[in-house]
Amino acid sequence: MPHVFWADEQGLPATDRGLAYGDGLFETIRMQGRQGLLLSRHLARLTRDAARLGIPVSRRDLQSVCARAVERWPRSDDEGWVLKLTLTRGAGGRGYRADPGMTPNLLVSAAPLPPMPDPAGVVADFSRVPLTVNPLLAGIKSLNRLEQVMAAQDIQGSLFEVLMSNARGELVEGTRTNVLLKTSLGWVTPPASTLAVAGVLREWLLERLRARGEPVLEQPITMADVTGPECQGLFLLNSVLGVVPVRTLADHDLPVDTGLATIFNPLELLE
Amino acid sequence: MPHVFWADEQGLPATDRGLAYGDGLFETIRMQGRQGLLLSRHLARLTRDAARLGIPVSRRDLQSVCARAVERWPRSDDEGWVLKLTLTRGAGGRGYRADPGMTPNLLVSAAPLPPMPDPAGVVADFSRVPLTVNPLLAGIKSLNRLEQVMAAQDIQGSLFEVLMSNARGELVEGTRTNVLLKTSLGWVTPPASTLAVAGVLREWLLERLRARGEPVLEQPITMADVTGPECQGLFLLNSVLGVVPVRTLADHDLPVDTGLATIFNPLELLE
């Protein structure tokens, strides 16, 4: 069981490796009262990706901490909030090398739900910050998010998101969203192996679309794909903010299809 | 002036962005009594790279904190220790977006000097972890060091370091060291623009070699360059550990030239 720290009481120790090296990972879970949206997927991802980093934690331990969190921060059944779990390898070690058998630290915090995006569509742009993804760490929502922080500095005014590209010029993801493109051939999204963060809403939505028999292609997307005539709609996916259609991308008006948003009903996904 | 936190008293707040996103950077400075090795270069790098990230801090503020640190942790003139400065963008913000005008946090800590490597040479290997460097963040000793942590897991037993390569197969650096190769054409080291961390000892040593009229080439190095007949010596550079010759690399015996170590005299570099 990790050492549990409640953020309204204390932070992590000064020698924590999460601060020192970003040696850990996190989840932000949209809550409604005592229930969490896609909660089991969040905990499954955290457990799986912690194992990829060699940080031992069990689903059972995480479930028990979530149960304590909803007792600690009681909300009415219709009140939305955000539960954040930050899991680090622990405190200490010799430089980058961790000590074997370290006990992980788990920081638990609550925050208000952010403002929800306009369901009629948002404005996005291309980021000037290139995205680099280490194949060994692809998809992991680790604490190494400085590229996203630098890119997010350009999100000002009415801009909702900026989209980051890799060194091959492929559009990979937003700072806090995965991307999904509607085309005449089907739904297109970059493969999980190329992503900085493989979102749980992306995972759920791809499964749901495939279950409905719709074609889903996991393949690279270029800037031309989203601004050209093949684009029938571009969607940004974030498990707290939902399925967000883009109506303007870098001064291009995009077709807005709000149909997809209707298959994402947050109330249905509460656990 | 940043908010200063002394690590023997308290850690950073739970909402600090250094923990949340690795939104900050650090320096580890080899101290002897009240003096620091290459101290002004460490503070210059921290100030310069903080500015690249948009984190405001002045040399003067950092100097004043170092002066307070040596008062707080008094040591005899011949006692070695390590002073660590961790500077973050501050606490809070809206997700990845920082609030304008945030006050940075500076965590200051003291640690014992680690064991020094064998001056006759160390054993190194190639890392299985690929190194990715975002061109916008190249060289910055940021808190995003998960790749180095993963690579350092393989440093066991008599192994001193593992050397990481980029996607082009070029040897870039060790987990905590820069590399310098001696060849018949001169000294060769990868260009700063390709490095994850551009070390202060590397910077000092290249200047010193050039001042002595020796040819210094900043260009990519391949695995074949270091294991082939052109290699007249391979050195690992770290401002705490010094200039470290490699005598064995992935089972290849390398020529060991201890001459370079003699131009690095830690006592000369105390400030």
Side-chain angles (χ1 to χ4, degrees), chain A residues 123-127 129-131 133 141 145 147-152 155 160-166 170-180 189-190 194-199 202 221 234-238 241 246 249, chain B residues 96:
Chain A
V123 178
D125 203 345
F126 296 114
S127 176
V129 178
L131 183 66
V133 176
K141 199 171 171 78
R145 298 268 72 90
E147 297 183 359
Q148 285 75 19
V149 167
M150 296 304 285
I155 302 175
F160 172 78
E161 180 63 295
V162 289
L163 305 184
M164 303 174 75
S165 300
N166 62 22
E170 298 158 0
L171 207 60
V172 183
E173 65 200 62
T175 62
R176 63 196 191 289
T177 57
N178 290 125
V179 298
L180 181 66
T189 192
T194 66
L195 299 176
V197 177
R202 171 187 179 277
I221 293 176
L234 177 66
F235 300 88
L236 304 177
L237 315 178
N238 171 298
L241 302 172
V246 179
L249 176 64
Chain B
Y96 295 133

Side-chain angles (χ1 to χ4, degrees), chain A residues 133-217:
Chain A
V133 176
N134 189 310
L136 195 79
L137 304 175
I140 300 180
K141 199 171 171 78
S142 82
L143 300 175
N144 279 217
R145 298 268 72 90
L146 192 49
E147 297 183 359
Q148 285 75 19
V149 167
M150 296 304 285
Q153 290 182 344
D154 291 332
I155 302 175
Q156 301 287 345
S158 61
L159 200 59
F160 172 78
E161 180 63 295
V162 289
L163 305 184
M164 303 174 75
S165 300
N166 62 22
R168 291 186 297 277
E170 298 158 0
L171 207 60
V172 183
E173 65 200 62
T175 62
R176 63 196 191 289
T177 57
N178 290 125
V179 298
L180 181 66
L181 180 67
K182 189 180 181 186
T183 75
S184 58
L185 297 173
W187 300 95
V188 186
T189 192
S193 61
T194 66
L195 299 176
V197 177
V200 294
L201 180 58
R202 171 187 179 277
E203 183 188 70
W204 173 85
L205 192 57
L206 298 191
E207 279 177 26
R208 178 65 66 104
L209 290 170
R210 284 178 171 134
R212 286 157 54 124
E214 304 202 22
V216 175
L217 306 167

Side-chain angles (χ1 to χ4, degrees), chain A residues 21 96 130 134 143-145 175, chain B residues 21 96 130 134 143-144 175:
Chain A
Y21 311 124
Y96 295 133
N134 189 310
L143 300 175
N144 279 217
R145 298 268 72 90
T175 62
Chain B
Y21 311 125
Y96 295 133
N134 189 309
L143 300 175
N144 279 217
T175 61

Side-chain angles (χ1 to χ4, degrees), chain A residues 65-139:
Chain A
V65 168
C66 289
R68 288 166 65 195
V70 299
E71 294 301 326
R72 185 180 185 95
W73 295 304
R75 316 273 169 151
S76 62
D77 282 355
D78 59 354
E79 192 180 352
W81 56 292
V82 174
L83 173 65
K84 182 171 179 180
L85 305 176
T86 303
L87 179 72
T88 78
R89 196 180 304 274
R94 292 154 300 156
Y96 295 133
R97 278 181 295 168
D99 295 328
M102 289 181 109
T103 301
N105 286 331
L106 180 61
L107 180 69
V108 189
S109 63
L113 207 57
M116 287 295 125
D118 184 349
V122 298
V123 178
D125 203 345
F126 296 114
S127 176
R128 69 190 164 87
V129 178
L131 183 66
T132 52
V133 176
N134 189 310
L136 195 79
L137 304 175

Side-chain angles (χ1 to χ4, degrees), chain B residues 201-237:
Chain B
L201 180 58
R202 170 187 179 278
E203 184 188 67
W204 173 85
L205 191 57
L206 298 191
E207 280 177 27
R208 178 66 65 105
L209 290 169
R210 284 177 171 134
R212 286 157 55 125
E214 304 202 23
V216 175
L217 307 168
E218 293 186 64
Q219 62 186 41
I221 293 177
T222 65
M223 288 191 192
D225 290 335
V226 287
T227 54
E230 270 307 296
C231 172
Q232 299 180 354
L234 177 67
F235 301 88
L236 305 178
L237 315 178

Side-chain angles (χ1 to χ4, degrees), chain B residues 43-265:
Chain B
L43 302 188
R45 177 175 65 173
L46 184 51
T47 313
R48 182 188 68 225
D49 288 350
R52 286 174 63 192
L53 299 181
I55 300 176
V57 74
S58 72
R59 278 280 286 279
R60 199 191 178 89
D61 288 345
L62 295 173
Q63 275 158 350
S64 128
V65 168
C66 290
R68 288 166 65 195
V70 298
E71 294 302 325
R72 186 180 184 94
W73 296 304
R75 316 271 169 154
S76 62
D77 282 354
D78 59 354
E79 193 180 352
W81 56 293
V82 175
L83 173 64
K84 182 172 179 180
L85 304 176
T86 303
L87 179 72
T88 78
R89 196 181 305 275
R94 291 154 299 157
Y96 295 133
R97 280 183 294 170
D99 295 328
M102 289 181 110
T103 301
N105 287 331
L106 180 61
L107 179 69
V108 189
S109 62
L113 206 57
M116 288 294 125
D118 184 349
V122 299
V123 178
D125 203 346
F126 297 113
S127 175
R128 69 189 165 87
V129 178
L131 183 66
T132 53
V133 176
N134 189 309
L136 195 79
L137 304 175
I140 299 179
K141 200 170 169 78
S142 81
L143 300 175
N144 279 217
R145 298 268 74 91
L146 192 47
E147 297 183 358
Q148 285 75 18
V149 167
M150 295 304 285
Q153 290 181 344
D154 291 332
I155 301 175
Q156 302 286 345
S158 61
L159 200 59
F160 172 79
E161 180 63 295
V162 290
L163 305 184
M164 303 175 75
S165 301
N166 62 21
R168 291 186 297 277
E170 298 157 0
L171 207 60
V172 183
E173 65 199 62
T175 61
R176 63 195 190 289
T177 58
N178 290 126
V179 297
L180 181 66
L181 180 66
K182 189 179 180 187
T183 74
S184 59
L185 297 172
W187 300 96
V188 186
T189 192
S193 61
T194 66
L195 299 176
V197 177
V200 294
L201 180 58
R202 170 187 179 278
E203 184 188 67
W204 173 85
L205 191 57
L206 298 191
E207 280 177 27
R208 178 66 65 105
L209 290 169
R210 284 177 171 134
R212 286 157 55 125
E214 304 202 23
V216 175
L217 307 168
E218 293 186 64
Q219 62 186 41
I221 293 177
T222 65
M223 288 191 192
D225 290 335
V226 287
T227 54
E230 270 307 296
C231 172
Q232 299 180 354
L234 177 67
F235 301 88
L236 305 178
L237 315 178
N238 172 298
S239 65
V240 171
L241 302 172
V243 176
V244 184
V246 179
R247 61 178 166 81
T248 307
L249 176 63
D251 297 327
H252 294 265
D253 288 331
L254 299 187
V256 173
D257 176 345
T258 55
L260 189 60
T262 63
I263 79 163
F264 169 77
N265 178 354

